[in-house]
Amino acid sequence: MKTFCGRANPTTGALDWVEESEEYDYHQEIARSCYADMLHDHDRNDKYYKGIRAAVSRIKARGERVVVLDIGTGTGLLSMMAVTAGADFCYAVEVFKPMAEAAQCIVKKNNFSEKIKIINKHSSDVTVGPDGDMHEKANLLITELFDTELIGEGALPSYEHAHQNLVKAGCEAVPHRATVYAQLVESELLWSWAQLQPAEVEGARLVPPPAVGRCAGAHSVCDIQLSQVSPSSFTPLSPLCTMFSVDFSKPVSSAFRSNSARFVAQSGGRAQVVLSWWDLDMDPSGAVVCSMAPSWTYPQPATAPWRDHWMQSVYFLPAEIPVAEQEELSLTVCHDDYSLWYSLQSHSSSLQDGRAQTPASRPCCICQAHLVWTRPRFGELNDRRRTGSYVEALRSVLSEDSVCLSVSDASLLPVFAHMLGAKKVFSLENSRMSKQVIEQVLEANSLKGGVELLEIRPEQLTSQDLRGEQISVLMGEPYFSTSLLPWHSLFFWYCRTALAGLLRPGAAILPCSASLHVVAVEFQDLWRIRAPCGTCEGFDVTPMDEMVQRSLDFRESREAEPHPLWEYPCRALTQSAAVMTFDFTQCVPKQPISSQGSLPLIRTGRCHGVALWMEYHLTDDVTVSGGLTQPISEQGSCEWSRHRKQGVYFLRTAWDSSGDGRAAVSYSFTFEPSSGDIKMDFSIEGP
């Protein structure tokens, strides 16, 4: 059965009505899942297996039957480990129906059907009793309910309910314990993701609104691959602090709780950011530990296990606080049932000095900027080199009689244009909130009225809205909050086309064009999220591989997906190439634009796929890249923008390149003006 679905098109801005299969949503969920990444995590699997074997042995030693409750079973892997270790029976709970069906197939394929029962429910709906889902309570609780923040997937409420209703008192648990660690640091890089910094424009200083500086910011955790943030990018102000532990073998509470760690500052600086991660003790003695610590904490960083399902967390203090070396401080972590937040208190100085932060107050954005600008967007707005490029480009096209119109979401570009002396500046804002944020910026810099902010769609803009003026400079970064893939910013081109009748003859368009770039790459680790598993720790999990492939074949395997490649190291195996150019000085064409070609594989390595990004040519001389920020090194090393996600197209089968240039990645692109889609296809041509 198919249904019509209304979907906002991020490229054209239109509401498209498309016919979709009723299975589309769950196919997309499966295709974009990271089940394979978890199964490829041998360190995780091995530690779980060791913990399960030890727990089963302890229960057997007490002369008891081993009855397992496995919450969030996924593929059923941990239940199969438990039965192999000697468990008498397992109740494996999985709420996601397609995954539960795959687990059923996997359990059957591995001949465990008689000892593992798959229950397709949320664990809080599971019943116990003669007619219940479980005939008896379990004495071994196995779970994998964790996310990067540990508790963000509802681990605490699930454990709380399980101890109250589904497991026996004094049960064993794998993992047995989780411990959360944190370190207070000063970091200009990381802090630039939380607060708007002053900017220099032609000798004038643009300052952030006071409300933004006083705001605690967005509450959500910033989860990243902290291994890719160099220790040279931050200064530790505290030792690594043990913040709290949760013993999963005992009743767990999801109620509000706070814990503090007291320490002496090991150096002076500005307390801005808390880096945090956790580890799992798989047994009561702590002999088997699965750690989420970033690679730079290891004596040999290359030996650190890679994970994408569990990363590390960055928390931003409500405000930066100056601290002195040897000052006595307390770092406090609070949590509710789903999230954590941090605050800092001083013991060495008067608490009336204004620096103390209230531990129990949950961060909440009151300035609206943190709701309008994402953390990467804050970083982009604070990038001085990038700002300099836009100021240089604007300077080259502006004159004292310029009438400017900006088309980008909550951009500072119109503010720059006014500061550079444009006669009149208008800006189209996509929401009242983004309009209010830019109004705050203008007011903080005594520029109120310098930019007229219009909450109007481009196709609805009239000459009357522009006070009868014609636009001499149409500008955009372009940045749109609805963009997921790099080329979705071609929405600027559609806006330019809709505004054509309001432009002066010879009006300047900034950027004047954009180009789509590609390079074939070998990923250090990211390939794991799409690679089939086959056999995992001795168990056949091919039904899951087949399920994921079916969902990929439904549509997703023919599409690129967004990833922030600065977090995922890769090597270029080809030269990079511009494969399509979009001329913004002209309207969107009526006919499709196509491009074909090939990229010779000039470096040895395993080609996993292709990275794609956009570059914006502000003028003939000034370009801003949303992808590579430096030329590819001779060895193929790549440096990627931290501000925008790049597109990644995974090849169905990786290709081993000899690097002699005889094999090549062939490509085909077609831009469809009617839909704004870029259809692409890649294949390997080799001897």
Side-chain angles (χ1 to χ4, degrees):
M1 178 180 174
K2 293 189 175 183
T3 58
F4 279 101
C5 302
R7 291 209 166 96
N9 187 313
T11 308
T12 66
L15 179 66
D16 294 341
W17 287 92
V18 294
E19 190 179 43
E20 292 285 14
S21 165
E22 63 181 2
E23 298 177 332
Y24 172 77
D25 286 335
Y26 94 70
H27 276 302
Q28 190 174 51
E29 174 80 13
I30 295 168
R32 290 291 181 252
S33 70
C34 289
Y35 291 118
D37 165 42
M38 288 187 276
L39 296 180
H40 282 297
D41 186 348
H42 174 70
D43 179 75
R44 161 194 175 271
N45 300 339
D46 179 59
K47 300 291 175 57
Y48 260 100
Y49 211 165
K50 287 177 179 175
I52 288 169
R53 284 195 290 260
V56 170
S57 296
R58 289 194 299 274
I59 297 172
K60 291 281 189 183
R62 298 198 291 263
E64 301 175 25
R65 291 177 70 250
V66 180
V67 180
V68 176
L69 172 61
D70 176 7
I71 302 178
T73 193
T75 59
L77 175 67
L78 303 183
S79 287
M80 293 189 293
M81 288 179 175
V83 172
T84 303
D88 295 282
F89 198 82
C90 292
Y91 295 101
V93 181
E94 175 56 50
V95 69
F96 186 40
K97 185 176 180 180
M99 198 69 242
E101 291 171 348
Q104 194 80 57
C105 294
I106 291 169
V107 165
K108 182 177 180 180
K109 193 175 187 70
N110 288 276
N111 300 313
F112 290 114
S113 296
E114 292 185 3
K115 289 200 170 185
I116 299 175
K117 179 182 179 181
I118 305 297
I119 303 172
N120 180 208
K121 287 185 175 183
H122 192 281
S123 64
S124 60
D125 296 325
V126 171
T127 57
V128 181
D131 299 320
D133 302 305
M134 298 171 62
H135 292 167
E136 60 184 314
K137 288 188 175 183
N139 56 3
L140 173 53
L141 177 57
I142 300 174
T143 62
E144 206 281 56
L145 298 171
F146 314 113
D147 68 347
T148 293
E149 202 173 15
L150 183 67
I151 65 173
E153 290 185 2
L156 295 183
S158 295
Y159 272 110
E160 185 174 43
H161 176 270
H163 276 286
Q164 291 171 353
N165 300 279
L166 306 177
V167 299
K168 296 177 180 178
C171 72
E172 298 283 348
V174 179
H176 180 83
R177 181 189 306 109
T179 303
V180 173
Y181 303 94
Q183 186 169 40
L184 181 70
V185 304
E186 174 183 351
S187 173
E188 182 179 354
L189 169 66
L190 299 177
W191 191 241
S192 73
W193 300 350
Q195 291 290 342
L196 189 63
Q197 307 298 321
E200 297 293 329
V201 180
E202 292 290 273
R205 187 175 173 85
L206 185 71
V207 299
V212 177
R214 294 193 300 266
C215 181
H219 176 237
S220 59
V221 66
C222 178
D223 54 341
I224 62 171
Q225 292 283 358
L226 203 52
S227 295
Q228 300 308 314
V229 176
S230 169
S232 64
S233 299
F234 59 86
T235 301
L237 303 181
S238 77
L240 185 63
C241 301
T242 300
M243 299 308 301
F244 69 92
S245 293
V246 183
D247 185 337
F248 297 124
S249 70
K250 298 176 181 177
V252 170
S253 172
S254 61
F256 171 87
R257 181 182 171 190
S258 66
N259 297 83
S260 295
R262 191 163 178 162
F263 61 91
V264 173
Q266 59 188 49
S267 65
R270 294 170 296 157
Q272 299 168 324
V273 175
V274 176
L275 311 181
S276 182
W277 56 88
W278 45 268
D279 62 27
L280 298 174
D281 290 334
M282 294 300 182
D283 65 323
S285 69
V288 181
V289 181
C290 187
S291 175
M292 307 309 124
S295 62
W296 37 258
T297 65
Y298 283 68
Q300 295 180 301
T303 64
W306 182 85
R307 302 180 173 95
D308 200 48
H309 51 286
W310 295 330
M311 294 186 278
Q312 294 80 36
S313 300
V314 174
Y315 298 90
F316 303 97
L317 293 180
E320 68 176 11
I321 299 177
V323 300
E325 188 174 358
Q326 297 300 305
E327 183 173 0
E328 291 186 28
L329 301 166
S330 282
L331 184 64
T332 298
V333 62
C334 300
H335 73 76
D336 52 22
D337 47 353
Y338 282 92
S339 57
L340 283 68
W341 60 95
Y342 285 84
S343 59
L344 185 67
Q345 299 81 38
S346 172
H347 299 283
S348 299
S349 57
S350 169
L351 294 180
Q352 279 70 50
D353 65 1
R355 298 187 301 158
Q357 297 172 348
T358 306
S361 58
R362 179 174 176 168
C364 177
C365 177
I366 57 172
C367 72
Q368 301 185 10
H370 298 92
L371 304 178
V372 170
W373 294 327
T374 64
R375 290 176 177 120
R377 178 62 171 159
F378 266 100
E380 188 168 61
L381 294 172
N382 287 325
D383 186 329
R384 296 185 185 91
R385 180 178 296 180
R386 182 178 181 276
T387 295
S389 295
Y390 281 97
V391 170
E392 179 185 348
L394 279 171
R395 193 191 305 116
S396 71
V397 299
L398 289 178
S399 62
E400 60 184 15
D401 66 343
S402 292
V403 177
C404 304
L405 177 64
S406 173
V407 183
S408 278
D409 293 349
S411 173
L412 298 179
L413 216 54
V415 183
F416 297 161
H418 174 71
M419 295 175 73
L420 289 169
K423 171 188 169 185
K424 187 67 179 173
V425 182
F426 299 91
S427 179
L428 299 187
E429 297 298 333
N430 73 328
S431 70
R432 181 158 300 177
M433 196 176 294
S434 67
K435 179 180 174 182
Q436 290 171 345
V437 168
I438 300 304
E439 283 175 344
Q440 289 183 60
V441 173
L442 292 167
E443 188 168 348
N445 291 275
S446 302
L447 301 175
K448 192 173 182 180
V451 178
E452 190 162 343
L453 303 167
L454 305 172
E455 199 180 334
I456 302 173
R457 290 184 59 83
E459 66 272 16
Q460 297 171 338
L461 190 70
T462 66
S463 178
Q464 187 176 358
D465 297 317
L466 299 175
R467 309 286 188 262
E469 299 275 9
Q470 283 189 305
I471 302 163
S472 59
V473 178
L474 177 64
M475 57 191 181
E477 299 185 37
Y479 171 83
F480 304 102
S481 59
T482 53
S483 296
L484 298 175
L485 289 161
W487 44 92
H488 288 167
S489 58
L490 290 176
F491 179 52
F492 178 79
W493 203 8
Y494 287 83
C495 295
R496 178 259 182 269
T497 302
L499 296 165
L502 300 174
L503 302 180
R504 283 185 196 173
I509 311 295
L510 188 156
C512 58
S513 64
S515 49
L516 177 63
H517 294 246
V518 302
V519 63
V521 297
E522 174 186 49
F523 285 110
Q524 180 176 301
D525 295 295
L526 189 62
W527 60 271
R528 300 174 195 272
I529 70 171
R530 291 289 166 265
C533 297
T535 300
C536 179
E537 309 304 325
F539 302 101
D540 186 344
V541 294
T542 52
M544 190 215 66
D545 293 336
E546 293 163 0
M547 176 189 72
V548 172
Q549 192 57 56
R550 280 194 302 272
S551 291
L552 285 168
D553 290 342
F554 188 80
R555 177 182 299 173
E556 304 291 326
S557 64
R558 301 188 298 276
E559 297 180 351
E561 54 191 79
H563 290 283
L565 291 185
W566 73 269
E567 294 186 57
Y568 303 107
C570 61
R571 285 180 57 247
L573 301 183
T574 66
Q575 301 286 5
S576 64
V579 294
M580 300 191 88
T581 299
F582 310 96
D583 186 356
F584 295 162
T585 65
Q586 305 297 316
C587 291
V588 176
K590 302 293 185 184
Q591 300 302 316
I593 302 173
S594 297
S595 172
Q596 294 84 33
S598 62
L599 302 169
L601 289 158
I602 58 172
R603 296 184 184 90
T604 58
R606 171 159 281 202
C607 183
H608 296 114
V610 175
L612 306 99
W613 69 97
M614 296 289 283
E615 294 189 1
Y616 303 101
H617 310 290
L618 307 184
T619 65
D620 292 340
D621 303 317
V622 183
T623 294
V624 172
S625 174
L628 288 175
T629 58
Q630 298 289 336
I632 297 169
S633 75
E634 188 176 336
Q635 294 75 31
S637 298
C638 302
E639 291 188 28
W640 299 97
S641 168
R642 296 179 187 267
H643 309 320
R644 304 224 177 171
K645 291 183 179 181
Q646 293 72 42
V648 175
Y649 187 106
F650 288 100
L651 298 176
R652 175 167 294 201
T653 304
W655 177 273
D656 290 319
S657 167
S658 61
D660 58 10
R662 291 188 299 162
V665 178
S666 64
Y667 60 81
S668 173
F669 290 89
T670 301
F671 169 69
E672 297 284 355
S674 60
S675 65
D677 287 344
I678 296 182
K679 299 187 183 303
M680 60 189 72
D681 189 43
F682 297 91
S683 60
I684 302 290
E685 296 176 348

